[in-house]
Amino acid sequence: MCPICGIEPETTFHIMWNCPSARDVWSVGNAKFQKNVYAGPDFLQVVDGMLRKCSGVEFQQFVGVARRIWHRRNEFVHGGSFIHPSYVLKQALQLSEDFNNLLMTSQESSTPVCSGMLKWQPPPSGWYKVNWDAGIDRRHGRLGLGALIRDSQGNLVAAKSLSHSGLLDPTSAKALAALMAIKLCKAWGFHNLKMESDAKVLVDAVNSTEVDDSSKGHLVADIKLCLVGLQAWKLVYIPCKINWAAHALASLAMTENLDSEWGYVPPDCIGGILEADRIGSVSSDLF
Ligand SMILES: [Zn+2]
């Protein structure tokens, strides 16, 4: 039976839509949530109906309210208090607003957007773009590190994969990959670097003038030390979806225990990605 009303069996349709406790929440929401009558028994029918009737923002709110109704049910079942319907709605609307703000902030602060999709960007001429990533194989206790350097045409100039025993948290593993990448640049004589990492915490720590006293602090200090002596460098955060090439090199190191270095001719596993990045990219002399 429904743990809240005790009247009907607790189906998804009942608890999300038809239970008096759910009706109380829907009735204080958007008019489109209030007026629709569904016979059930499938809650997906309700979702489908809303998808047709609501705008994008309204549907987002509908999903937020549904999510909060389900959470409220769980909180109640596990001994928590039962939140007032108008407060459930308020929380859902706040969730929706936070999500939209986050989307806007990440679009403003991260990478250039091209045709609505995030793209890898080549560096200006005279600069080198450096990407790195790390993979963690918890089962075998190994890390895979990958790094690559590309020129202003998007062509590979050097790449490296390294398999490493032991386990680290993702940020520390990526810090190790960063160290490997910067040492690779120095070994090849590249000293003007635009570096990108999908580890936001690491990017912020390296860019900060404060001493990092977290568990990865020693790695951050090593990276800062390694950057000394370069002519110019810039480190920015990028979403992992445009860090595919580095991700593939890290995966290669992790799955095949492979330690290898390449110059100019890329390994098969990233050939296609490099080409896709190159075709999709636009000149970014302003970057
Ligand atoms: Zn009920």
Side-chain angles (χ1 to χ4, degrees):
M1 294 304 282
C2 170
I4 300 170
C5 69
I7 302 169
E8 285 185 40
E10 194 196 29
T11 61
T12 310
F13 179 78
H14 175 82
I15 199 70
M16 299 304 296
W17 189 253
N18 226 24
C19 179
S21 68
R23 297 303 323 152
D24 282 349
V25 178
W26 293 118
S27 67
V28 291
N30 186 305
K32 288 181 185 168
F33 305 162
Q34 299 170 21
K35 288 178 186 164
N36 292 303
V37 179
Y38 296 96
D42 193 350
F43 183 61
L44 282 180
Q45 186 196 354
V46 181
V47 176
D48 189 51
M50 291 296 170
L51 201 51
R52 288 163 204 273
K53 286 169 193 150
C54 294
S55 69
V57 173
E58 287 168 336
F59 186 70
Q60 193 182 46
Q61 289 171 356
F62 167 76
V63 173
V65 173
R67 185 173 184 267
R68 278 305 306 152
I69 288 176
W70 176 244
H71 283 182
R72 183 174 71 151
R73 175 261 181 212
N74 292 342
E75 285 153 13
F76 178 72
V77 168
H78 296 292
S81 58
F82 200 63
I83 303 164
H84 192 271
S86 57
Y87 190 59
V88 173
L89 187 76
K90 196 176 154 205
Q91 286 177 323
L93 296 181
Q94 185 65 49
L95 186 78
S96 171
E97 195 183 321
D98 289 349
F99 178 70
N100 287 330
N101 286 342
L102 191 71
L103 270 185
M104 259 159 56
T105 320
S106 65
Q107 278 169 5
E108 280 164 7
S109 67
S110 65
T111 37
V113 174
C114 182
S115 311
M117 287 176 69
L118 294 168
K119 301 283 188 190
W120 180 85
Q121 300 290 314
S125 61
W127 288 76
Y128 292 91
K129 177 64 71 81
V130 190
N131 293 84
W132 61 73
D133 203 6
I136 302 170
D137 179 355
R138 299 199 179 277
R139 206 164 129 232
H140 299 103
R142 295 201 73 77
L143 303 172
L145 311 179
L148 70 158
I149 311 166
R150 281 173 275 186
D151 65 15
S152 59
Q153 303 299 309
N155 294 320
L156 183 86
V157 289
K160 187 167 180 169
S161 278
L162 188 70
S163 173
H164 203 285
S165 64
L167 282 176
L168 284 173
D169 63 278
T171 304
S172 298
K174 289 180 188 202
L176 267 190
L179 267 176
M180 181 182 86
I182 299 163
K183 286 176 184 168
L184 183 69
C185 293
K186 286 186 153 179
W188 283 74
F190 304 130
H191 289 273
N192 290 322
L193 310 180
K194 301 283 190 192
M195 299 178 287
E196 295 176 337
S197 169
D198 56 26
K200 178 100 173 59
V201 178
L202 179 67
V203 170
D204 291 344
V206 173
N207 283 327
S208 170
T209 51
E210 311 264 306
V211 174
D212 185 334
D213 54 10
S214 72
S215 60
K216 64 177 188 322
H218 62 293
L219 290 167
V220 172
D222 283 352
I223 292 170
K224 287 181 173 178
L225 201 62
C226 202
L227 289 168
V228 173
L230 290 172
Q231 274 168 21
W233 61 270
K234 186 174 178 182
L235 171 61
V236 297
Y237 163 76
I238 50 157
C240 51
K241 69 168 84 167
I242 55 173
N243 205 26
W244 279 121
H247 182 80
L249 286 172
S251 298
L252 182 71
M254 191 174 64
T255 53
E256 299 190 16
N257 263 357
L258 184 76
D259 294 349
S260 200
E261 196 170 315
W262 300 267
Y264 301 100
V265 180
D268 290 344
C269 72
I270 59 166
I273 302 172
L274 293 182
E275 194 54 28
D277 278 351
R278 228 164 50 79
I279 292 168
S281 64
V282 292
S283 171
S284 66
D285 275 1
L286 292 174
F287 171 61

